[in-house]
């Protein structure tokens, strides 16, 4: 297997966000996001990090060099707080633990997904296929869409966490005032971490400055992930925050206004969905094909397309929970508007 090449654009610099808190960009090969921002908290014993990166030699070496650059060592990492199970956050956690003996912490709702997703995925793939059929995916696209996430599997070392971190738990990071906030939506067990001394919100993929995280219905998601996500947004928006430290793009000021923007974005998407049903499109697939995406529907392929269909379904399930639409069972499942 050849490793995907690294983007030619340079990574952003390693930054000291606040005294003792560092941001270390770690590359994600062949991905438009380009890097994940690993945050390191200095202590006398060594660093505690939030997220780890993607499991390649390049990512590992970048993280190792980054920790050295900020005056510590990968051998001395004490804890890895993983925001969620996606490969760009969790993939490298096992290797960091192997190098250092650090504990790895993950929310139980994400820990519960590891086995089916990364160790024995056949059953999950069948469930994804069934879901796509019910969504109305054309037969000639079913197989490639069903397998679309398998390419990332080698980049995850599917370790079990040492600590199951529940909502409002305080990870033991000496000298720091961190609190885990369970923020389901992008992933069922997504965690943000609030740091009380400097009023920092480490937002993972839950709140990013420019892009909106993918919120998808999936066999491993709750019945209404977008409803969960919007509630989780309201929740983090209430924390008095001086700066947001997201896992991608760049850090920013203005958490509550970004939260309002994200909620408004999804409210606009709801209107798009309702409009396409009113025009007579009734399968999830057809409704997805009518929504506005970052590129034309015909040019969306593979994993991106599955994410788009999952996202359309998330909007439909949220509208169903609000009593705006209802599902008529069948293959494909059909959607209709409820009279209001
Ligand atoms: Zn993610
Ligand atoms: Zn991510």
């Amino acid at each position: 297997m050849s490793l995907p090449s690294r983007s030619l654009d340079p990574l952003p610099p390693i930054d000291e966000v606040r005294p003792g808190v560092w941001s270390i960009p770690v590359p994600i090969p062949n991905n438009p996001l380009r890097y994940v921002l690993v945050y390191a908290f200095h202590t006398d014993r060594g660093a505690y990090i939030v997220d780890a990166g993607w499991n390649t030699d390049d990512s590992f070496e970048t993280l190792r060099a980054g920790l050295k650059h900020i005056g510590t060592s990968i051998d001395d990492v004490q804890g890895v707080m993983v925001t969620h199970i996606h490969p760009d956050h969790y993939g490298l956690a096992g290797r960091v633990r192997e190098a250092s003996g650090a504990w790895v912490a993950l929310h139980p709702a994400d820990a519960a997904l590891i086995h089916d997703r990364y160790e024995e995925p056949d059953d999950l793939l069948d469930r994804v296929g069934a879901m796509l059929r019910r969504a109305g995916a054309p037969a000639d696209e079913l197989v490639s869409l069903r397998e679309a996430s398998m390419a990332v599997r080698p980049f995850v070392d599917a370790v079990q966490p040492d600590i199951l971190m529940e909502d409002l738990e305080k990870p033991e990071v000496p000298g720091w005032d961190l609190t885990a906030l369970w923020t389901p939506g992008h992933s069922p067990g997504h965690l943000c971490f609030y740091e009380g001394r400097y009023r920092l919100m480490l937002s993972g993929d839950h709140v990013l400055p420019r892009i909106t995280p993918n919120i998808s219905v999936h066999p491993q998601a709750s019945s209404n992930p977008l409803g969960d996500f919007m509630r989780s947004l309201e929740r983090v928006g209430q924390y008095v925050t001086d700066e947001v430290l997201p896992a991608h793009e760049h850090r920013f000021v203005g958490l509550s206004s970004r939260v309002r923007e994200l909620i408004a974005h999804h409210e606009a998407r709801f209107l798009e969905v309702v409009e396409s049903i009113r025009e007579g499109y009734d399968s999830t697939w057809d409704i997805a094909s009518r929504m506005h995406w970052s590129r034309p529907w015909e040019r969306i392929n593979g994993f991106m397309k599955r994410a788009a269909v999952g996202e359309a379904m998330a909007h439909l399930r949220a509208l169903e929970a609000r009593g705006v639409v209802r599902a008529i069972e069948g293959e494909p499942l059909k959607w209709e508007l409820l009279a209001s």
Side-chain angles (χ1 to χ4, degrees):
M1 186 191 61
S2 67
L3 285 179
S5 62
R6 186 159 153 178
S7 159
L8 296 176
D9 294 328
L11 294 173
I14 293 171
D15 237 358
E16 189 165 26
V17 176
R18 294 291 185 281
V21 190
W22 294 83
S23 150
I24 303 172
V26 172
I28 315 173
N30 268 5
N31 186 299
L33 291 172
R34 292 176 45 231
Y35 53 86
V36 65
L37 297 169
V38 171
Y39 295 98
F41 288 86
H42 255 305
T43 74
D44 297 344
R45 296 184 206 164
Y48 291 74
I49 62 177
V50 173
D51 284 332
W54 181 267
N55 186 23
T56 66
D57 293 343
D58 191 20
S59 305
F60 188 73
E61 285 311 318
T62 306
L63 180 60
R64 185 213 293 274
L67 289 166
K68 195 170 168 206
H69 176 88
I70 68 171
T72 178
S73 156
I74 197 144
D75 306 332
D76 294 332
V77 174
Q78 298 291 310
V80 186
M81 295 162 267
V82 183
T83 59
H84 64 297
I85 199 181
H86 292 165
D88 47 329
H89 302 257
Y90 163 75
L92 204 52
R95 224 157 135 185
V96 174
R97 179 168 74 186
E98 227 168 78
S100 62
W103 47 255
V104 172
L106 194 63
H107 187 272
D110 267 21
L113 311 180
I114 293 170
H115 179 75
D116 283 4
R117 180 176 298 218
Y118 296 127
E119 291 172 350
E120 287 183 67
D122 289 350
D123 176 62
L124 181 61
L125 287 179
D126 286 344
R127 284 186 283 150
V128 168
M131 182 192 80
L132 288 165
R133 256 197 313 279
R134 263 160 49 93
D140 61 335
E141 293 198 53
L142 257 177
V143 174
S144 68
L145 287 180
R146 202 187 85 126
E147 311 282 328
S149 58
M150 295 315 287
V152 303
R153 249 183 95 199
F155 304 113
V156 179
D157 180 2
V159 295
Q160 293 294 333
D162 307 287
I163 296 174
L164 294 176
M165 185 142 298
E166 303 271 2
D167 188 32
L168 294 177
E169 253 185 63
K170 291 175 115 9
E172 272 203 53
V173 182
W176 295 97
D177 175 21
L178 283 155
T179 306
L181 301 176
W182 183 36
T183 45
H186 175 65
S187 173
H190 191 286
L191 290 172
C192 293
F193 293 93
Y194 184 72
E195 201 292 306
R197 196 158 109 201
Y198 292 124
R199 302 200 296 195
L200 302 171
M201 183 64 78
L202 288 96
S203 63
D205 281 359
H206 182 52
V207 185
L208 298 169
R210 292 169 51 239
I211 55 175
T212 57
N214 176 254
I215 312 295
S216 273
V217 170
H218 182 274
Q220 287 196 326
S222 79
S223 58
N224 182 9
L226 184 55
D228 297 344
F229 177 66
M230 291 173 85
R231 271 190 298 282
S232 303
L233 280 177
E234 301 273 10
R235 180 173 184 211
V236 295
Q238 285 165 6
Y239 278 76
V240 178
T241 299
D242 290 351
E243 195 164 21
V244 185
L245 313 187
H248 302 288
E249 301 190 305
H250 51 80
R251 50 184 215 266
F252 66 98
V253 172
L255 176 59
S256 62
S257 63
R258 183 62 185 143
V259 160
R260 281 195 302 278
E261 271 173 24
L262 287 165
I263 289 173
H265 164 85
H266 289 291
E267 292 296 343
R269 302 292 263 166
F270 287 139
L271 294 178
E272 255 180 63
V273 168
V274 166
E275 197 46 44
S276 55
I277 300 176
R278 194 168 280 139
E279 286 169 13
Y281 298 92
D282 58 4
S283 76
T284 306
W285 185 271
D286 287 346
I287 293 164
S289 75
R290 304 292 300 166
M291 293 170 74
H292 290 98
W293 304 104
S294 57
R295 64 183 76 172
W297 178 248
E298 303 71 42
R299 285 182 39 218
I300 304 176
N301 294 304
F303 186 73
M304 294 274 288
K305 197 158 203 175
R306 197 169 95 190
V309 175
E311 180 127 358
M313 209 180 301
H315 284 82
L316 286 157
R317 289 293 177 198
L319 284 169
E320 185 185 35
R322 289 182 177 190
V324 178
V325 302
R326 98 183 158 105
I328 305 160
E329 288 303 325
E331 217 169 278
L333 180 140
K334 305 264 186 196
W335 295 97
E336 71 175 20
L337 292 177
L338 288 171
S340 57

